[in-house]
Amino acid sequence: AMATLALATGACAREDTTTPRPIAASRSASGTQVAEAPRFVMSGVCDFKASLNGAVFEVVGFTASGAAYLRAEVENTAQYIYHDLDCNGGGGGKARWIIGNHAPNTSKLMDLDDDGKCNYHARLDIALADSKLPPVRATWGVFCGSAWEPMVLNFALQEERGANSSLMLKGACEGSSFFNGLIFALQGKTASGSPYYKAMVNNEDQPPLLLSGDRHWSVPSKGQEKQSFYIYHDTACSGSAAPGEEAPVPRWILDESEPDAHRVKDLDADQKCEYYARTFEGGFSALPVSASWRMFCGTEWKDVMLSFSADSHDAVGVQQGDFAVVAGAPLTSPLRALGLLSFLVLVLAF
């Protein structure tokens, strides 16, 4: 069997899920920074396309077929690798991996660059493998100036330095400012290879009031006094789209529901997009350490810049039993300690 690239091994307000937005690259022109994302270094291209040799491709999302697509910056121009069932959309083409300079339309199965043609740097005629990624070594057809030439292309995994084991959140808006200072500890990886994180606070003395789905106030029952929050990546937060509807855009999510690490879509299994905050920025393989998030701020959604710091001078985040520790002091009740809200309100958007 041909070896393939391996993915790296890591109820709240409802938001409209149909508005498509581009997924930012790990280090985009907008300044988005991504912590330690796994990357693949390309080699083996002919001299005519020599600028592609050494290009570092990172997985940044998934297309409608479930295939991952990758992006690299080459001489200030974005280059992409994606799988297309029929590159001109005519219905008689072959399934293939493509290297080209047009971002794929992630809602399509065929002609993902929307040009009605088969125009690209290189192609590999092969069905989509279970890994959803191209082979690490295979013979591609590469355009080398005057003719298409068979070239053995390699994709070597760049050294992975590992995800940070704990990150402190900063930048939350006033209505959700109780998140500021929470330490999110790495829990593992989901089925897509994305890391996911958990923060836990102890509210035994003053449990938060929660708004249930029928909009009535309730107090958590005994054993629910410890409040947990999670950050994870979801490729489709409401699950598969209904016929005629657009699929949800992949996103990082800040939520109170623990993600099911065996799922790729709708990780909280509620068939809704309900959470405290989300960002479309960054690839699935690493949490953006600084990015624009859409956050629910008590009564409305706002755009905020959230950052996740692993700086030991700011905070030392470790797990100590059921508590997060900041600079050696357990956060027994961050709501009380910060003098903010004494309860959390989970609001379903109208």
Side-chain angles (χ1 to χ4, degrees):
M2 188 174 292
T4 55
L5 300 180
L7 298 181
T9 48
C12 305
R14 179 181 298 178
E15 188 192 23
D16 173 29
T17 64
T18 59
T19 304
R21 298 218 187 156
I23 300 173
S26 60
R27 281 170 173 73
S28 67
S30 64
T32 300
Q33 295 177 336
V34 171
E36 310 304 343
R39 299 170 177 183
F40 303 95
V41 182
M42 178 179 171
S43 63
V45 185
C46 57
D47 290 343
F48 187 76
K49 299 286 185 180
S51 61
L52 292 173
N53 284 319
V56 180
F57 283 88
E58 179 185 0
V59 178
V60 291
F62 297 87
T63 63
S65 68
Y69 73 97
L70 301 87
R71 182 183 188 276
E73 286 285 338
V74 179
E75 297 181 344
N76 298 317
T77 300
Q79 305 292 339
Y80 298 88
I81 301 176
Y82 58 90
H83 195 266
D84 200 317
L85 294 181
D86 185 352
C87 53
N88 64 11
K94 296 180 179 180
R96 61 188 53 173
W97 284 98
I98 287 171
I99 304 173
N101 58 5
H102 291 96
N105 182 334
T106 59
S107 67
K108 299 183 68 173
L109 294 171
M110 299 185 292
D111 188 24
L112 272 66
D113 61 358
D114 292 311
D115 66 353
K117 304 174 183 178
C118 294
N119 189 7
Y120 36 70
H121 302 306
R123 55 104 179 114
L124 174 63
D125 294 345
I126 189 172
L128 183 62
D130 290 341
S131 71
K132 310 301 183 185
L133 286 163
V136 296
R137 180 180 173 86
T139 301
W140 293 61
V142 181
F143 186 69
C144 294
S146 59
W148 289 88
E149 302 287 348
M151 308 291 298
V152 177
L153 301 188
N154 298 282
F155 293 89
L157 180 63
Q158 195 175 53
E159 181 181 356
E160 186 179 0
R161 288 162 284 183
N164 289 311
S165 60
S166 58
L167 298 167
M168 184 172 71
L169 186 154
K170 297 179 183 178
C173 53
E174 184 175 350
S176 291
S177 56
F178 50 82
F179 285 115
N180 288 322
L182 289 189
I183 301 294
F184 285 83
L186 180 66
Q187 302 297 298
K189 303 242 178 169
T190 64
S192 66
S194 301
Y196 71 99
Y197 299 83
K198 175 182 179 181
M200 181 175 284
V201 295
N202 184 6
N203 292 306
E204 289 178 331
D205 299 330
Q206 191 173 357
L209 295 173
L210 303 178
L211 187 62
S212 63
D214 58 5
R215 296 181 180 272
H216 291 291
W217 290 101
S218 63
V219 178
S221 60
K222 187 178 175 81
Q224 292 183 313
E225 292 88 355
K226 290 173 180 151
Q227 184 78 27
S228 299
F229 301 99
Y230 299 87
I231 296 174
Y232 58 90
H233 190 270
D234 201 318
T235 61
C237 51
S238 61
S240 300
E245 293 184 358
E246 292 184 20
V249 178
R251 65 197 67 190
W252 285 93
I253 286 172
L254 170 57
D255 194 9
E256 65 169 6
S257 299
E258 182 174 4
D260 184 339
H262 297 96
R263 299 170 70 103
V264 174
K265 299 179 181 180
D266 188 21
L267 271 65
D268 60 359
D270 65 354
Q271 298 184 333
K272 302 174 184 177
C273 291
E274 293 181 359
Y275 36 68
Y276 288 99
R278 61 90 180 129
T279 182
F280 297 141
E281 297 192 25
F284 82 98
S285 55
L287 176 68
V289 296
S290 178
S292 175
W293 288 66
R294 188 75 170 165
M295 179 171 248
F296 191 74
C297 299
T299 59
E300 61 180 332
W301 290 90
K302 293 183 179 180
D303 292 319
V304 299
M305 287 296 296
L306 295 188
S307 62
F308 296 89
S309 172
D311 186 349
S312 60
H313 296 291
D314 270 342
V316 178
V318 296
Q319 285 296 305
Q320 189 176 71
D322 288 331
F323 301 90
V325 177
V326 180
L331 292 177
T332 57
S333 180
L335 307 183
R336 229 181 23 255
L338 296 175
L340 300 172
L341 300 177
S342 62
F343 56 88
L344 302 178
V345 181
L346 308 184
V347 182
L348 297 178
F350 45 84

